[in-house]
PDB file of all heavy atoms in Angstrom:
ATOM      1  N   LEU S1038      -4.074   0.040  -3.603  1.00 94.00           N
ATOM      2  CA  LEU S1038      -4.311   1.314  -2.917  1.00 94.00           C
ATOM      3  C   LEU S1038      -4.314   1.204  -1.393  1.00 94.00           C
ATOM      4  O   LEU S1038      -3.772   2.083  -0.722  1.00 94.00           O
ATOM      5  CB  LEU S1038      -5.625   1.940  -3.401  1.00 94.00           C
ATOM      6  CG  LEU S1038      -5.648   2.436  -4.847  1.00 94.00           C
ATOM      7  CD1 LEU S1038      -6.997   3.074  -5.158  1.00 94.00           C
ATOM      8  CD2 LEU S1038      -4.523   3.427  -5.109  1.00 94.00           C
ATOM      9  N   PRO S1039      -4.907   0.147  -0.801  1.00 94.00           N
ATOM     10  CA  PRO S1039      -4.940   0.097   0.665  1.00 94.00           C
ATOM     11  C   PRO S1039      -3.571   0.029   1.340  1.00 94.00           C
ATOM     12  O   PRO S1039      -3.448   0.403   2.511  1.00 94.00           O
ATOM     13  CB  PRO S1039      -5.757  -1.168   0.947  1.00 94.00           C
ATOM     14  CG  PRO S1039      -6.628  -1.338  -0.242  1.00 94.00           C
ATOM     15  CD  PRO S1039      -5.763  -0.904  -1.392  1.00 94.00           C
ATOM     16  N   ILE S1040      -2.532  -0.457   0.635  1.00 96.00           N
ATOM     17  CA  ILE S1040      -1.221  -0.532   1.279  1.00 96.00           C
ATOM     18  C   ILE S1040      -0.281   0.582   0.805  1.00 96.00           C
ATOM     19  O   ILE S1040       0.848   0.677   1.282  1.00 96.00           O
ATOM     20  CB  ILE S1040      -0.551  -1.901   1.045  1.00 96.00           C
ATOM     21  CG1 ILE S1040      -0.101  -2.072  -0.405  1.00 96.00           C
ATOM     22  CG2 ILE S1040      -1.466  -3.040   1.473  1.00 96.00           C
ATOM     23  CD1 ILE S1040       0.854  -3.239  -0.598  1.00 96.00           C
ATOM     24  N   ALA S1041      -0.739   1.412  -0.128  1.00 97.00           N
ATOM     25  CA  ALA S1041       0.128   2.434  -0.713  1.00 97.00           C
ATOM     26  C   ALA S1041       0.110   3.720   0.108  1.00 97.00           C
ATOM     27  O   ALA S1041      -0.926   4.133   0.638  1.00 97.00           O
ATOM     28  CB  ALA S1041      -0.293   2.735  -2.147  1.00 97.00           C
ATOM     29  N   ASP S1042       1.273   4.361   0.205  1.00 97.00           N
ATOM     30  CA  ASP S1042       1.379   5.685   0.815  1.00 97.00           C
ATOM     31  C   ASP S1042       1.343   6.782  -0.244  1.00 97.00           C
ATOM     32  O   ASP S1042       0.957   7.911   0.046  1.00 97.00           O
ATOM     33  CB  ASP S1042       2.695   5.794   1.604  1.00 97.00           C
ATOM     34  CG  ASP S1042       2.761   4.788   2.739  1.00 97.00           C
ATOM     35  OD1 ASP S1042       2.065   4.990   3.748  1.00 97.00           O
ATOM     36  OD2 ASP S1042       3.493   3.788   2.601  1.00 97.00           O
ATOM     37  N   ARG S1043       1.765   6.408  -1.464  1.00 96.00           N
ATOM     38  CA  ARG S1043       1.789   7.375  -2.559  1.00 96.00           C
ATOM     39  C   ARG S1043       1.515   6.621  -3.852  1.00 96.00           C
ATOM     40  O   ARG S1043       1.918   5.470  -3.992  1.00 96.00           O
ATOM     41  CB  ARG S1043       3.145   8.077  -2.623  1.00 96.00           C
ATOM     42  CG  ARG S1043       3.233   9.192  -3.659  1.00 96.00           C
ATOM     43  CD  ARG S1043       4.569   9.909  -3.637  1.00 96.00           C
ATOM     44  NE  ARG S1043       4.799  10.586  -2.371  1.00 96.00           N
ATOM     45  CZ  ARG S1043       5.669  10.185  -1.450  1.00 96.00           C
ATOM     46  NH1 ARG S1043       6.408   9.120  -1.662  1.00 96.00           N
ATOM     47  NH2 ARG S1043       5.819  10.845  -0.338  1.00 96.00           N
ATOM     48  N   VAL S1044       0.848   7.282  -4.778  1.00 97.00           N
ATOM     49  CA  VAL S1044       0.507   6.670  -6.063  1.00 97.00           C
ATOM     50  C   VAL S1044       1.081   7.519  -7.192  1.00 97.00           C
ATOM     51  O   VAL S1044       0.966   8.752  -7.173  1.00 97.00           O
ATOM     52  CB  VAL S1044      -1.023   6.552  -6.240  1.00 97.00           C
ATOM     53  CG1 VAL S1044      -1.359   5.987  -7.619  1.00 97.00           C
ATOM     54  CG2 VAL S1044      -1.630   5.681  -5.144  1.00 97.00           C
ATOM     55  N   TYR S1045       1.705   6.850  -8.140  1.00 97.00           N
ATOM     56  CA  TYR S1045       2.159   7.486  -9.375  1.00 97.00           C
ATOM     57  C   TYR S1045       1.465   6.802 -10.541  1.00 97.00           C
ATOM     58  O   TYR S1045       1.417   5.562 -10.596  1.00 97.00           O
ATOM     59  CB  TYR S1045       3.675   7.356  -9.553  1.00 97.00           C
ATOM     60  CG  TYR S1045       4.480   8.075  -8.503  1.00 97.00           C
ATOM     61  CD1 TYR S1045       4.910   7.406  -7.357  1.00 97.00           C
ATOM     62  CD2 TYR S1045       4.819   9.414  -8.644  1.00 97.00           C
ATOM     63  CE1 TYR S1045       5.648   8.060  -6.387  1.00 97.00           C
ATOM     64  CE2 TYR S1045       5.561  10.085  -7.677  1.00 97.00           C
ATOM     65  CZ  TYR S1045       5.975   9.396  -6.552  1.00 97.00           C
ATOM     66  OH  TYR S1045       6.707  10.044  -5.581  1.00 97.00           O
ATOM     67  N   VAL S1046       0.925   7.586 -11.450  1.00 95.00           N
ATOM     68  CA  VAL S1046       0.349   7.041 -12.676  1.00 95.00           C
ATOM     69  C   VAL S1046       1.282   7.377 -13.825  1.00 95.00           C
ATOM     70  O   VAL S1046       1.575   8.560 -14.072  1.00 95.00           O
ATOM     71  CB  VAL S1046      -1.055   7.623 -12.952  1.00 95.00           C
ATOM     72  CG1 VAL S1046      -1.576   7.127 -14.307  1.00 95.00           C
ATOM     73  CG2 VAL S1046      -2.030   7.239 -11.841  1.00 95.00           C
ATOM     74  N   LEU S1047       1.773   6.344 -14.496  1.00 95.00           N
ATOM     75  CA  LEU S1047       2.588   6.528 -15.699  1.00 95.00           C
ATOM     76  C   LEU S1047       1.709   6.366 -16.925  1.00 95.00           C
ATOM     77  O   LEU S1047       0.946   5.406 -17.032  1.00 95.00           O
ATOM     78  CB  LEU S1047       3.722   5.498 -15.762  1.00 95.00           C
ATOM     79  CG  LEU S1047       5.036   5.787 -15.045  1.00 95.00           C
ATOM     80  CD1 LEU S1047       6.058   4.729 -15.439  1.00 95.00           C
ATOM     81  CD2 LEU S1047       5.568   7.163 -15.343  1.00 95.00           C
ATOM     82  N   ASP S1048       1.824   7.300 -17.849  1.00 92.00           N
ATOM     83  CA  ASP S1048       1.070   7.223 -19.097  1.00 92.00           C
ATOM     84  C   ASP S1048       1.946   7.796 -20.196  1.00 92.00           C
ATOM     85  O   ASP S1048       2.391   8.943 -20.107  1.00 92.00           O
ATOM     86  CB  ASP S1048      -0.235   8.011 -18.980  1.00 92.00           C
ATOM     87  CG  ASP S1048      -1.216   7.676 -20.096  1.00 92.00           C
ATOM     88  OD1 ASP S1048      -0.842   6.917 -21.007  1.00 92.00           O
ATOM     89  OD2 ASP S1048      -2.357   8.170 -20.064  1.00 92.00           O
ATOM     90  N   GLY S1049       2.236   6.980 -21.200  1.00 93.00           N
ATOM     91  CA  GLY S1049       3.097   7.444 -22.283  1.00 93.00           C
ATOM     92  C   GLY S1049       4.490   7.803 -21.832  1.00 93.00           C
ATOM     93  O   GLY S1049       5.141   8.668 -22.423  1.00 93.00           O
ATOM     94  N   GLY S1050       4.974   7.130 -20.790  1.00 96.00           N
ATOM     95  CA  GLY S1050       6.323   7.376 -20.296  1.00 96.00           C
ATOM     96  C   GLY S1050       6.477   8.603 -19.430  1.00 96.00           C
ATOM     97  O   GLY S1050       7.595   8.967 -19.066  1.00 96.00           O
ATOM     98  N   ARG S1051       5.356   9.234 -19.076  1.00 96.00           N
ATOM     99  CA  ARG S1051       5.398  10.435 -18.227  1.00 96.00           C
ATOM    100  C   ARG S1051       4.529  10.229 -16.990  1.00 96.00           C
ATOM    101  O   ARG S1051       3.584   9.439 -17.009  1.00 96.00           O
ATOM    102  CB  ARG S1051       4.913  11.671 -18.998  1.00 96.00           C
ATOM    103  CG  ARG S1051       5.716  11.964 -20.260  1.00 96.00           C
ATOM    104  CD  ARG S1051       5.157  13.180 -21.000  1.00 96.00           C
ATOM    105  NE  ARG S1051       5.837  13.394 -22.273  1.00 96.00           N
ATOM    106  CZ  ARG S1051       6.964  14.079 -22.398  1.00 96.00           C
ATOM    107  NH1 ARG S1051       7.528  14.636 -21.331  1.00 96.00           N
ATOM    108  NH2 ARG S1051       7.520  14.234 -23.584  1.00 96.00           N
ATOM    109  N   VAL S1052       4.837  10.952 -15.929  1.00 97.00           N
ATOM    110  CA  VAL S1052       4.020  10.901 -14.720  1.00 97.00           C
ATOM    111  C   VAL S1052       2.786  11.767 -14.940  1.00 97.00           C
ATOM    112  O   VAL S1052       2.873  12.987 -15.035  1.00 97.00           O
ATOM    113  CB  VAL S1052       4.810  11.382 -13.489  1.00 97.00           C
ATOM    114  CG1 VAL S1052       3.897  11.408 -12.258  1.00 97.00           C
ATOM    115  CG2 VAL S1052       6.009  10.477 -13.233  1.00 97.00           C
ATOM    116  N   ALA S1053       1.623  11.103 -15.030  1.00 93.00           N
ATOM    117  CA  ALA S1053       0.368  11.814 -15.267  1.00 93.00           C
ATOM    118  C   ALA S1053      -0.332  12.191 -13.970  1.00 93.00           C
ATOM    119  O   ALA S1053      -1.218  13.045 -13.969  1.00 93.00           O
ATOM    120  CB  ALA S1053      -0.564  10.942 -16.114  1.00 93.00           C
ATOM    121  N   PHE S1054       0.056  11.543 -12.874  1.00 94.00           N
ATOM    122  CA  PHE S1054      -0.523  11.847 -11.563  1.00 94.00           C
ATOM    123  C   PHE S1054       0.455  11.391 -10.494  1.00 94.00           C
ATOM    124  O   PHE S1054       1.096  10.347 -10.626  1.00 94.00           O
ATOM    125  CB  PHE S1054      -1.860  11.112 -11.367  1.00 94.00           C
ATOM    126  CG  PHE S1054      -2.387  11.185  -9.957  1.00 94.00           C
ATOM    127  CD1 PHE S1054      -3.210  12.233  -9.556  1.00 94.00           C
ATOM    128  CD2 PHE S1054      -2.051  10.209  -9.015  1.00 94.00           C
ATOM    129  CE1 PHE S1054      -3.682  12.293  -8.255  1.00 94.00           C
ATOM    130  CE2 PHE S1054      -2.519  10.269  -7.716  1.00 94.00           C
ATOM    131  CZ  PHE S1054      -3.332  11.313  -7.327  1.00 94.00           C
ATOM    132  N   SER S1055       0.560  12.166  -9.427  1.00 96.00           N
ATOM    133  CA  SER S1055       1.281  11.724  -8.237  1.00 96.00           C
ATOM    134  C   SER S1055       0.585  12.312  -7.024  1.00 96.00           C
ATOM    135  O   SER S1055       0.171  13.472  -7.026  1.00 96.00           O
ATOM    136  CB  SER S1055       2.753  12.165  -8.271  1.00 96.00           C
ATOM    137  OG  SER S1055       2.866  13.568  -8.218  1.00 96.00           O
ATOM    138  N   GLY S1056       0.417  11.492  -6.005  1.00 96.00           N
ATOM    139  CA  GLY S1056      -0.251  11.962  -4.803  1.00 96.00           C
ATOM    140  C   GLY S1056      -0.665  10.806  -3.919  1.00 96.00           C
ATOM    141  O   GLY S1056      -0.427   9.639  -4.242  1.00 96.00           O
ATOM    142  N   PRO S1057      -1.309  11.094  -2.801  1.00 96.00           N
ATOM    143  CA  PRO S1057      -1.752  10.030  -1.900  1.00 96.00           C
ATOM    144  C   PRO S1057      -2.914   9.248  -2.498  1.00 96.00           C
ATOM    145  O   PRO S1057      -3.613   9.748  -3.395  1.00 96.00           O
ATOM    146  CB  PRO S1057      -2.177  10.798  -0.648  1.00 96.00           C
ATOM    147  CG  PRO S1057      -2.546  12.155  -1.151  1.00 96.00           C
ATOM    148  CD  PRO S1057      -1.616  12.441  -2.294  1.00 96.00           C
ATOM    149  N   PRO S1058      -3.149   8.028  -2.016  1.00 95.00           N
ATOM    150  CA  PRO S1058      -4.255   7.225  -2.552  1.00 95.00           C
ATOM    151  C   PRO S1058      -5.604   7.932  -2.476  1.00 95.00           C
ATOM    152  O   PRO S1058      -6.440   7.775  -3.384  1.00 95.00           O
ATOM    153  CB  PRO S1058      -4.238   5.970  -1.674  1.00 95.00           C
ATOM    154  CG  PRO S1058      -2.830   5.854  -1.210  1.00 95.00           C
ATOM    155  CD  PRO S1058      -2.349   7.268  -1.038  1.00 95.00           C
ATOM    156  N   ALA S1059      -5.829   8.714  -1.420  1.00 95.00           N
ATOM    157  CA  ALA S1059      -7.118   9.407  -1.289  1.00 95.00           C
ATOM    158  C   ALA S1059      -7.343  10.387  -2.430  1.00 95.00           C
ATOM    159  O   ALA S1059      -8.466  10.523  -2.942  1.00 95.00           O
ATOM    160  CB  ALA S1059      -7.189  10.136   0.048  1.00 95.00           C
ATOM    161  N   ALA S1060      -6.284  11.066  -2.859  1.00 94.00           N
ATOM    162  CA  ALA S1060      -6.405  12.004  -3.983  1.00 94.00           C
ATOM    163  C   ALA S1060      -6.657  11.256  -5.282  1.00 94.00           C
ATOM    164  O   ALA S1060      -7.404  11.721  -6.143  1.00 94.00           O
ATOM    165  CB  ALA S1060      -5.148  12.858  -4.082  1.00 94.00           C
ATOM    166  N   PHE S1061      -6.021  10.102  -5.438  1.00 93.00           N
ATOM    167  CA  PHE S1061      -6.265   9.269  -6.616  1.00 93.00           C
ATOM    168  C   PHE S1061      -7.732   8.850  -6.669  1.00 93.00           C
ATOM    169  O   PHE S1061      -8.390   8.968  -7.701  1.00 93.00           O
ATOM    170  CB  PHE S1061      -5.361   8.040  -6.571  1.00 93.00           C
ATOM    171  CG  PHE S1061      -5.593   7.058  -7.689  1.00 93.00           C
ATOM    172  CD1 PHE S1061      -4.883   7.148  -8.880  1.00 93.00           C
ATOM    173  CD2 PHE S1061      -6.521   6.029  -7.553  1.00 93.00           C
ATOM    174  CE1 PHE S1061      -5.107   6.247  -9.905  1.00 93.00           C
ATOM    175  CE2 PHE S1061      -6.748   5.123  -8.578  1.00 93.00           C
ATOM    176  CZ  PHE S1061      -6.028   5.233  -9.754  1.00 93.00           C
ATOM    177  N   GLU S1062      -8.257   8.364  -5.552  1.00 90.00           N
ATOM    178  CA  GLU S1062      -9.639   7.891  -5.514  1.00 90.00           C
ATOM    179  C   GLU S1062     -10.640   9.026  -5.681  1.00 90.00           C
ATOM    180  O   GLU S1062     -11.771   8.807  -6.130  1.00 90.00           O
ATOM    181  CB  GLU S1062      -9.896   7.152  -4.206  1.00 90.00           C
ATOM    182  CG  GLU S1062      -9.122   5.845  -4.099  1.00 90.00           C
ATOM    183  CD  GLU S1062      -9.412   5.113  -2.806  1.00 90.00           C
ATOM    184  OE1 GLU S1062      -8.961   5.570  -1.748  1.00 90.00           O
ATOM    185  OE2 GLU S1062     -10.107   4.092  -2.875  1.00 90.00           O
ATOM    186  N   ALA S1063     -10.245  10.248  -5.318  1.00 90.00           N
ATOM    187  CA  ALA S1063     -11.144  11.395  -5.438  1.00 90.00           C
ATOM    188  C   ALA S1063     -11.219  11.932  -6.855  1.00 90.00           C
ATOM    189  O   ALA S1063     -12.117  12.725  -7.175  1.00 90.00           O
ATOM    190  CB  ALA S1063     -10.695  12.511  -4.491  1.00 90.00           C
ATOM    191  N   ASP S1064     -10.283  11.515  -7.714  1.00 88.00           N
ATOM    192  CA  ASP S1064     -10.263  11.973  -9.102  1.00 88.00           C
ATOM    193  C   ASP S1064     -11.200  11.094  -9.916  1.00 88.00           C
ATOM    194  O   ASP S1064     -10.929   9.910 -10.150  1.00 88.00           O
ATOM    195  CB  ASP S1064      -8.833  11.890  -9.654  1.00 88.00           C
ATOM    196  CG  ASP S1064      -8.689  12.526 -11.024  1.00 88.00           C
ATOM    197  OD1 ASP S1064      -9.513  12.216 -11.912  1.00 88.00           O
ATOM    198  OD2 ASP S1064      -7.748  13.316 -11.219  1.00 88.00           O
ATOM    199  N   SER S1065     -12.326  11.633 -10.356  1.00 83.00           N
ATOM    200  CA  SER S1065     -13.343  10.827 -11.028  1.00 83.00           C
ATOM    201  C   SER S1065     -12.829  10.205 -12.315  1.00 83.00           C
ATOM    202  O   SER S1065     -13.196   9.070 -12.660  1.00 83.00           O
ATOM    203  CB  SER S1065     -14.578  11.685 -11.322  1.00 83.00           C
ATOM    204  OG  SER S1065     -14.242  12.792 -12.142  1.00 83.00           O
ATOM    205  N   ARG S1066     -11.955  10.907 -13.037  1.00 84.00           N
ATOM    206  CA  ARG S1066     -11.428  10.351 -14.295  1.00 84.00           C
ATOM    207  C   ARG S1066     -10.562   9.132 -14.003  1.00 84.00           C
ATOM    208  O   ARG S1066     -10.684   8.090 -14.663  1.00 84.00           O
ATOM    209  CB  ARG S1066     -10.610  11.400 -15.036  1.00 84.00           C
ATOM    210  CG  ARG S1066     -10.038  10.912 -16.364  1.00 84.00           C
ATOM    211  CD  ARG S1066      -9.190  11.982 -17.021  1.00 84.00           C
ATOM    212  NE  ARG S1066      -8.021  12.285 -16.217  1.00 84.00           N
ATOM    213  CZ  ARG S1066      -6.865  11.604 -16.291  1.00 84.00           C
ATOM    214  NH1 ARG S1066      -6.757  10.572 -17.113  1.00 84.00           N
ATOM    215  NH2 ARG S1066      -5.831  11.956 -15.551  1.00 84.00           N
ATOM    216  N   LEU S1067      -9.689   9.229 -13.005  1.00 83.00           N
ATOM    217  CA  LEU S1067      -8.822   8.116 -12.658  1.00 83.00           C
ATOM    218  C   LEU S1067      -9.631   6.944 -12.099  1.00 83.00           C
ATOM    219  O   LEU S1067      -9.345   5.783 -12.392  1.00 83.00           O
ATOM    220  CB  LEU S1067      -7.766   8.553 -11.638  1.00 83.00           C
ATOM    221  CG  LEU S1067      -6.733   9.561 -12.149  1.00 83.00           C
ATOM    222  CD1 LEU S1067      -5.831  10.011 -11.016  1.00 83.00           C
ATOM    223  CD2 LEU S1067      -5.903   8.971 -13.282  1.00 83.00           C
ATOM    224  N   ARG S1068     -10.651   7.258 -11.307  1.00 76.00           N
ATOM    225  CA  ARG S1068     -11.511   6.202 -10.766  1.00 76.00           C
ATOM    226  C   ARG S1068     -12.175   5.405 -11.886  1.00 76.00           C
ATOM    227  O   ARG S1068     -12.257   4.181 -11.829  1.00 76.00           O
ATOM    228  CB  ARG S1068     -12.587   6.821  -9.865  1.00 76.00           C
ATOM    229  CG  ARG S1068     -12.107   7.206  -8.481  1.00 76.00           C
ATOM    230  CD  ARG S1068     -13.140   8.081  -7.780  1.00 76.00           C
ATOM    231  NE  ARG S1068     -14.444   7.446  -7.707  1.00 76.00           N
ATOM    232  CZ  ARG S1068     -14.817   6.603  -6.743  1.00 76.00           C
ATOM    233  NH1 ARG S1068     -13.971   6.283  -5.784  1.00 76.00           N
ATOM    234  NH2 ARG S1068     -16.040   6.094  -6.734  1.00 76.00           N
ATOM    235  N   GLU S1069     -12.621   6.117 -12.908  1.00 76.00           N
ATOM    236  CA  GLU S1069     -13.300   5.432 -14.014  1.00 76.00           C
ATOM    237  C   GLU S1069     -12.349   4.574 -14.807  1.00 76.00           C
ATOM    238  O   GLU S1069     -12.657   3.431 -15.191  1.00 76.00           O
ATOM    239  CB  GLU S1069     -13.968   6.460 -14.912  1.00 76.00           C
ATOM    240  CG  GLU S1069     -14.769   5.833 -16.057  1.00 76.00           C
ATOM    241  CD  GLU S1069     -15.517   6.874 -16.878  1.00 76.00           C
ATOM    242  OE1 GLU S1069     -15.420   8.081 -16.552  1.00 76.00           O
ATOM    243  OE2 GLU S1069     -16.183   6.469 -17.832  1.00 76.00           O
ATOM    244  N   VAL S1070     -11.134   5.092 -15.065  1.00 77.00           N
ATOM    245  CA  VAL S1070     -10.182   4.375 -15.915  1.00 77.00           C
ATOM    246  C   VAL S1070      -9.600   3.176 -15.202  1.00 77.00           C
ATOM    247  O   VAL S1070      -9.487   2.080 -15.760  1.00 77.00           O
ATOM    248  CB  VAL S1070      -9.061   5.332 -16.380  1.00 77.00           C
ATOM    249  CG1 VAL S1070      -7.968   4.539 -17.099  1.00 77.00           C
ATOM    250  CG2 VAL S1070      -9.613   6.397 -17.309  1.00 77.00           C
ATOM    251  N   TYR S1071      -9.203   3.362 -13.917  1.00 75.00           N
ATOM    252  CA  TYR S1071      -8.437   2.329 -13.231  1.00 75.00           C
ATOM    253  C   TYR S1071      -9.244   1.491 -12.245  1.00 75.00           C
ATOM    254  O   TYR S1071      -8.838   0.398 -11.888  1.00 75.00           O
ATOM    255  CB  TYR S1071      -7.246   2.965 -12.496  1.00 75.00           C
ATOM    256  CG  TYR S1071      -6.253   3.541 -13.464  1.00 75.00           C
ATOM    257  CD1 TYR S1071      -6.162   4.905 -13.687  1.00 75.00           C
ATOM    258  CD2 TYR S1071      -5.401   2.714 -14.199  1.00 75.00           C
ATOM    259  CE1 TYR S1071      -5.273   5.436 -14.598  1.00 75.00           C
ATOM    260  CE2 TYR S1071      -4.502   3.230 -15.110  1.00 75.00           C
ATOM    261  CZ  TYR S1071      -4.446   4.591 -15.308  1.00 75.00           C
ATOM    262  OH  TYR S1071      -3.556   5.105 -16.219  1.00 75.00           O
ATOM    263  N   LEU S1072     -10.358   1.984 -11.775  1.00 67.00           N
ATOM    264  CA  LEU S1072     -11.173   1.234 -10.840  1.00 67.00           C
ATOM    265  C   LEU S1072     -12.529   0.839 -11.430  1.00 67.00           C
ATOM    266  O   LEU S1072     -13.287   0.102 -10.805  1.00 67.00           O
ATOM    267  CB  LEU S1072     -11.392   2.033  -9.549  1.00 67.00           C
ATOM    268  CG  LEU S1072     -10.134   2.304  -8.709  1.00 67.00           C
ATOM    269  CD1 LEU S1072     -10.468   3.227  -7.559  1.00 67.00           C
ATOM    270  CD2 LEU S1072      -9.549   1.000  -8.182  1.00 67.00           C
ATOM    271  N   GLY S1073     -12.842   1.362 -12.619  1.00 63.00           N
ATOM    272  CA  GLY S1073     -14.114   1.054 -13.236  1.00 63.00           C
ATOM    273  C   GLY S1073     -15.295   1.683 -12.513  1.00 63.00           C
ATOM    274  O   GLY S1073     -16.430   1.198 -12.600  1.00 63.00           O
ATOM    275  N   LEU S1074     -15.017   2.780 -11.800  1.00 52.00           N
ATOM    276  CA  LEU S1074     -16.070   3.459 -11.033  1.00 52.00           C
ATOM    277  C   LEU S1074     -16.278   4.860 -11.577  1.00 52.00           C
ATOM    278  O   LEU S1074     -15.305   5.620 -11.742  1.00 52.00           O
ATOM    279  CB  LEU S1074     -15.682   3.561  -9.559  1.00 52.00           C
ATOM    280  CG  LEU S1074     -15.424   2.215  -8.851  1.00 52.00           C
ATOM    281  CD1 LEU S1074     -14.861   2.456  -7.452  1.00 52.00           C
ATOM    282  CD2 LEU S1074     -16.677   1.383  -8.785  1.00 52.00           C
ATOM    283  N   ALA S1075     -17.499   5.209 -11.860  1.00 45.00           N
ATOM    284  CA  ALA S1075     -17.789   6.552 -12.377  1.00 45.00           C
ATOM    285  C   ALA S1075     -17.865   7.558 -11.238  1.00 45.00           C
ATOM    286  O   ALA S1075     -18.071   7.191 -10.100  1.00 45.00           O
ATOM    287  CB  ALA S1075     -19.095   6.521 -13.139  1.00 45.00           C
TER     288      ALA S1075
END
């Protein structure tokens, strides 16, 4: 995340999320799944 300008989450062969790292980190569901943070 610190070096990324944009993040894409692939799930089941589809783009489930796209946006800047800050938006990824602000999503509580994504934080829990991928960063282990509630």
